[in-house]
Structures are given as C-alpha cells and as structure tokens.
Amino acid sequence: MKSIASLLLALIHVANLLNSAITQNAPVIPAVIVFGDSIVDPGNNNNLKTPAKANYPPYGQDFPGHFPSGRFSNGKIPGDFLVSGLGIKEYLPPFVGVELEPNDIITGVSLASSGSGYDTLTDSISGVFSVEEQLKFFDEYKEKLREVAGDEKAESIISEALYIELSLKGARKIGFVGLPPIGCVPSQRTAAGGLSRECVPVRNEAASLFNSRISEEIDSLQMGMLINGTRIIFIDIYPLLLDIIQRPQVYGFEEASKGCCGTGTIEVSFLCNSLTKTTCDDPSKFVFWDTFHPTERAYKILTDEIFENYLPYLQ
C-alpha cells in the first residue's frame, strides 16, 4: 500500500467530470482514466515478468466468477468503486494485454501498474510500467478512442480529463490524495513493530509530515491558481484509515493488524497463493486482504468518504 496517493489522477478526473455533470445536468459522466500503482491496477501487469501482479488465486476470490483478474484484493478496488458510484459501468478494466470493447474505451480504463512509483529506479527493478510508460499508454488510448468514437467525441472526452502535467493539460479541478498511516500496514508491523506487532510510529510520523507539507504547498498553490479558475484541494485519507485500524469494530471489522491471506503477517503478491496459503473465512471482517492492500469492503469505506466529504469542494 505504498501509494494510495495513486488515486490522485482518478479522483481529480472524477471530480472534474462530476462537477461538469452537475453544472450541465448531464445524465451520464463520460469516462474515468486512472494512473497509479497496485491500489488501482486491475491487471495491467498480468503479462509482465514481475512479482508485482495478482492474477492467481486467492486474489479475486470475491470478484465475479471468483476470477483473479490482477486486482490486489479479494474483490473490487477503488477504480471500480469510482466508476460504479458514478453510474458509468461496474468495473474499470485494464488497458494493457486485453481486448477492449468499444464501450470500454469510451467509458475509460486504468493505465496503472502495480509496483510503480515516483522513482523510475523502483520501476526498473520491479520490472513494471513507469509513470512515463503509463503516459505513453494514454497516447495509445487516445488513438483508440478516436477510432471508436470519432475525433469530435474523443476530443470532448479527453478535454474533460486531468493529467500530468495537470496545469498544462487544462486541469481546473484537482484533488491530491495524501499518504495513509504506513506504519500500521500489516507488513510494517511485522518488519518493525516488535513482538507485539504494534504500529510503527516513525513511519506514521513520516507519512504525517509528508501530508502536512504537501497540504501547505497546496494551500500556497491554491492562492495563485484561483486567478485562472483552477481549484486544488488536499484529500486527507490518513485520519479515516487510522481510525478504522484503531477502532475496527466501529466499522464492522474484527481484524486490523493482520491480512486475510495466510498468517496475515508477511503474505503479499506471490507469497499469497492458493498452493501454500489459506485465507480467512470472512474477508469482510478484515481491514486488509494481504499485508499491503485493503479488502474490498475497506476500499469501499474509503471511497465513500472521498465522495461524501471531498468532492463537494471541487464543485
């Protein structure tokens, strides 16, 4: 779960489209385009030679058909909840390695790659698609969009999306998602939380400091951006996820310190597999599916929070 901030591009894109729909009374929001890492990758890495993929059981055990699509969870991930919550479609498909129907292209795809990060060295070592490569995929996506939708409609859809560099691409509604309490992720508890596997304060403090400085920078940027009509906000998911972890029963969970897969202390990626590991009886009672990634139910709570408490500020 190294970057729930990977939700950034998905959410700012949705915020802009939602605002347009409300303003124009549009019945349908056209598309969602997602960049990022394993939090929003529905299977773009499936054909890569990398450990950063999840196209095998028990991943996807609660996905339709119990299908291990490549999503790092037991079921849906945030991109799916975004498109379904907006009434666009039920699931957000990957762009790479699949045959997409015309409607899939028109309504949006995920370009995210599990294991990718801000440092290109990370991508090279992991053997995954870098942010730069994801942007190249976007150029390919635009060409496919023009082929199936025609130039005029394609340009209409593309013009409403927000991308890097955001301001140069005409972004007007920007939400930046901060870091989660990294020190409370099961793998970090195991690695540095002692025998009792407590949350690791120094790692949570680092995430909190990052969030604080980014928030201050965004406030500073906001002052100048208002002149040209651009609005940018900081979306802080740290408090909610920390509260879920510290008071899981309030949210209907029973376990927040371990993942559902295997022992719940080390299993993620290829360590979480159906040949050597079993899963918990009821993933909906667990905050985490493996030692990095939340369960479908936890993702739903986080996404609902963003829809309810942050998107109105971007309208």
Side-chain angles (χ1 to χ4, degrees), residues 49-52 115 119-128:
K49 293 181 179 179
T50 175
D119 188 344
T120 55
L121 180 60
T122 300
D123 308 326
S124 178
I125 293 174
S126 300
V128 301

Side-chain angles (χ1 to χ4, degrees), residues 21-244:
I22 292 173
T23 303
Q24 302 169 17
N25 295 316
V28 178
I29 294 171
V32 173
I33 311 297
V34 177
F35 298 80
D37 63 9
S38 59
I39 301 301
V40 285
D41 178 5
N44 284 308
N45 283 12
N46 286 356
N47 295 325
L48 294 180
K49 293 181 179 179
T50 175
K53 55 185 176 182
N55 58 337
Y56 44 83
Y59 288 101
Q61 71 173 37
D62 297 310
F63 200 71
H66 309 292
F67 177 60
S69 63
R71 290 166 169 81
F72 271 94
S73 189
N74 60 304
K76 288 184 176 182
I77 57 176
D80 301 316
F81 286 119
L82 291 173
V83 293
S84 61
L86 291 165
I88 297 174
K89 53 187 174 184
E90 194 66 23
Y91 308 102
L92 189 67
F95 178 69
V96 181
V98 295
E99 291 293 330
L100 294 170
E101 296 293 329
N103 189 61
D104 287 326
I105 296 172
I106 291 173
T107 54
V109 296
S110 172
L111 307 171
S113 178
S114 300
S116 65
Y118 297 116
D119 188 344
T120 55
L121 180 60
T122 300
D123 308 326
S124 178
I125 293 174
S126 300
V128 301
F129 298 121
S130 66
V131 172
E132 288 77 9
E133 288 174 303
Q134 292 178 42
L135 290 172
K136 291 178 181 178
F137 289 148
F138 175 63
D139 289 334
E140 295 177 20
Y141 165 78
K142 288 190 292 184
E143 290 303 314
K144 291 188 176 183
L145 181 61
R146 292 186 179 98
E147 290 174 6
V148 300
D151 290 343
E152 185 175 348
K153 185 174 181 180
E155 290 305 321
S156 175
I157 293 172
I158 292 168
S159 68
E160 291 179 327
L162 312 181
Y163 312 97
I164 299 174
E165 285 269 352
L166 295 176
S167 60
L168 296 180
K169 293 287 186 178
R172 291 295 179 266
K173 310 292 182 181
I174 305 171
F176 189 98
V177 183
L179 293 177
I182 297 171
C184 291
V185 170
S187 62
Q188 300 307 302
R189 288 174 178 255
T190 301
L195 294 178
S196 59
R197 299 185 64 257
E198 300 295 331
C199 291
V200 186
V202 67
R203 298 181 185 182
N204 279 351
E205 289 166 7
S208 185
L209 178 61
F210 172 86
N211 288 344
S212 176
R213 291 185 175 177
I214 286 293
S215 180
E216 291 174 0
E217 186 65 23
I218 286 174
D219 287 342
S220 177
L221 289 172
Q222 177 67 45
M223 298 301 293
M225 287 183 168
L226 285 174
I227 297 175
N228 65 7
T230 298
R231 185 175 302 171
I232 180 171
I233 66 169
F234 176 70
I235 298 176
D236 191 2
I237 54 99
Y238 185 108
L240 175 59
L241 186 53
L242 183 62
D243 194 47
I244 293 173

Side-chain angles (χ1 to χ4, degrees), residues 1 3-5 7 11 39 76-79 81-82 177-181 235-245 251 253 287-288 292-311:
M1 206 165 89
S3 180
I4 285 187
L7 277 171
L11 292 170
I39 301 301
K76 288 184 176 182
I77 57 176
F81 286 119
L82 291 173
V177 183
L179 293 177
I235 298 176
D236 191 2
I237 54 99
Y238 185 108
L240 175 59
L241 186 53
L242 183 62
D243 194 47
I244 293 173
I245 292 169
Y251 300 87
F253 296 107
V287 175
F288 294 95
F292 280 115
H293 307 95
T295 55
E296 176 183 271
R297 185 165 173 269
Y299 275 140
K300 180 66 164 59
I301 293 173
L302 291 170
T303 308
D304 285 348
E305 163 83 359
I306 293 168
F307 269 103
E308 180 178 355
N309 295 324
Y310 288 99
L311 291 190

Side-chain angles (χ1 to χ4, degrees), residues 56-62 68 73-74 261 272-274 277-279 289:
Y56 44 83
Y59 288 101
Q61 71 173 37
D62 297 310
S73 189
N74 60 304
C261 184
C272 176
N273 66 82
S274 61
K277 303 296 179 182
T278 58
T279 59
W289 167 247

